Amino acid sequence: MTLGEGGTPLVRAENLPAKIGRPDIELYFKLEGLNPTGSFKDRGMTLAMSKAKEEGAEAVICASTGNTSASAAAFATKAGLPCYVILPSGKVAAGKLAQAIFYGAKVVQIDGNFDQALDLVRALAAEGNITIVNSINPYRLEGQKTAALEVIEKLGNAPDYLFIPVGNAGNISAYWRGFKLGKSIGTAKKTPRMFGFEAEGSAAIVRGVVIENPETIATAIRIGNPASWKEAEAARDESQGKIGCVTDEEILSAYKLVARTEGIFCEPSSAASLAGLIKYSREIEKGAKVVAVLTGNGLKDPNTPIEVCKDELDLKPVEPSVKTLKAVMGLCK
Ligand code: AN7
């Protein structure tokens, strides 16, 4: 089954490297927001859903910070399976909630966070013939690793560095599987150093402890007990990489910078990859090829940009005349 997922653009950053004081690096963005439901989740969801159908599941279920639920809802509809979605109330971006409902999933919001929602999903699935389509489903990461193979295909080799946001730590693990596969089958001559970034208020891997009450403006990665914790640490260690964290301020600043230097609108959580790159840019050698993954589309969350730019936005309408517009636009002599 397919909704047209994968094959997303890898776009060279022409302006941003100089803006962050590193005109000497070759930087590319992998635009995963151009997948059919607007995030990288579609790569793994198509496979997880096909296998659920094949294995005779009666329904699928997921916990989600938003994007998994949007993707699951769309692919479940395509597969003809009922879909149940458990969300942390008040912490899911408007566009994602709209998608999950509109694709026809049964959406339940809990008075709790993502980690509690995932625990509940595990308990519910244990009681019946209902398949979990979170990244603990083994097919999810197998599907997601295709993104790394596409990067290799476009560059003709693996990059020197991969920067990526970390929430449940599934995607960094999937990319690492893909890069190792690329090297073993000979399409790449090397593997990149993997640099993953959690939000500071939910940096479980960085701190080495489960965070009971994770907080961050980047709600997609507001996760305190990452499901793929161990595999992500292995990816970091095997690749001589790093898992670090970035503050909400650093995330929002990167979020705005990529829009205003490159014309790319990603969601706040996606900008954790760029925020990490900026933070560690001095560690990158001259001439290095660097890929930053922008995991989700900016349109998912229409509220944060308006909040971030509220000083620039005057919502009061003006009189519709050329004279007034020239005055407001600063075009008067
Ligand atoms: C835009 O949808 O966990 O480290 O439930 O939506 O593989 O979890 C989303 C995660 C990064 C983190 N960027 O990836 C969910 C969910 C965006 C995301 C991540 C998510 P993982």
Side-chain angles (χ1 to χ4, degrees), residues 40-236:
F40 70 96
K41 304 285 181 181
D42 294 340
R43 292 178 183 276
M45 203 56 76
T46 183
L47 189 56
M49 206 63 73
S50 300
K51 297 304 272 185
K53 184 81 176 165
E54 183 181 294
E55 290 161 8
E58 281 164 20
V60 296
I61 188 168
C62 67
S64 182
T65 58
N67 280 324
T68 296
S69 70
S71 186
F75 282 92
T77 291
K78 185 85 172 170
L81 290 171
C83 179
Y84 298 91
V85 160
I86 318 290
L87 303 177
S89 175
K91 297 292 178 181
V92 173
K96 304 175 189 179
L97 189 58
Q99 285 178 290
I101 293 167
F102 209 61
Y103 290 130
K106 172 75 187 157
V107 176
V108 185
Q109 307 202 62
I110 60 161
D111 194 5
N113 61 34
F114 168 83
D115 304 287
Q116 293 167 302
L118 186 58
D119 286 344
L120 290 164
V121 160
R122 288 184 205 256
L124 288 165
E127 291 192 9
N129 191 15
I130 180 162
T131 299
I132 301 178
V133 293
N134 280 102
S135 57
I136 52 175
N137 178 312
Y139 301 116
R140 278 278 312 277
L141 300 195
E142 285 299 300
Q144 282 173 218
K145 77 183 181 191
T146 56
L149 297 171
E150 287 175 14
V151 169
I152 291 171
E153 198 177 321
K154 279 273 162 61
L155 297 178
N157 198 351
D160 299 301
Y161 291 85
L162 187 96
F163 285 81
I164 189 166
V166 172
N168 245 324
N171 211 26
I172 188 173
S173 304
Y175 269 81
W176 184 236
R177 287 188 198 180
F179 283 123
K180 284 194 292 188
L181 177 63
K183 191 171 175 217
S184 76
I185 63 178
T187 54
K189 290 183 187 58
K190 60 184 174 190
T191 52
R193 294 179 68 186
M194 304 291 288
F195 277 56
F197 292 90
E198 300 182 293
E200 190 174 57
S202 33
I205 300 176
V206 171
R207 305 206 194 294
V209 290
V210 170
I211 311 286
E212 296 295 339
N213 294 304
E215 268 316 334
T216 169
I217 188 152
T219 53
I221 55 172
R222 186 175 171 272
I223 295 171
N225 188 12
S228 299
W229 191 321
K230 289 283 160 292
E231 191 172 342
E233 285 185 335
R236 173 196 67 195

Side-chain angles (χ1 to χ4, degrees), residues 6-13 28-36 38-40 43 147 150-151 154 175 258 262-266 270 291-297:
T8 58
L10 186 71
V11 173
R12 176 90 186 255
Y28 298 85
F29 289 112
K30 181 70 170 156
L31 302 186
E32 288 294 279
L34 275 72
N35 276 296
S39 85
F40 70 96
R43 292 178 183 276
E150 287 175 14
V151 169
K154 279 273 162 61
Y175 269 81
V258 67
E262 297 295 337
I264 295 172
F265 188 21
C266 66
S270 303
V291 171
V293 183
L294 298 179
T295 45
N297 198 304

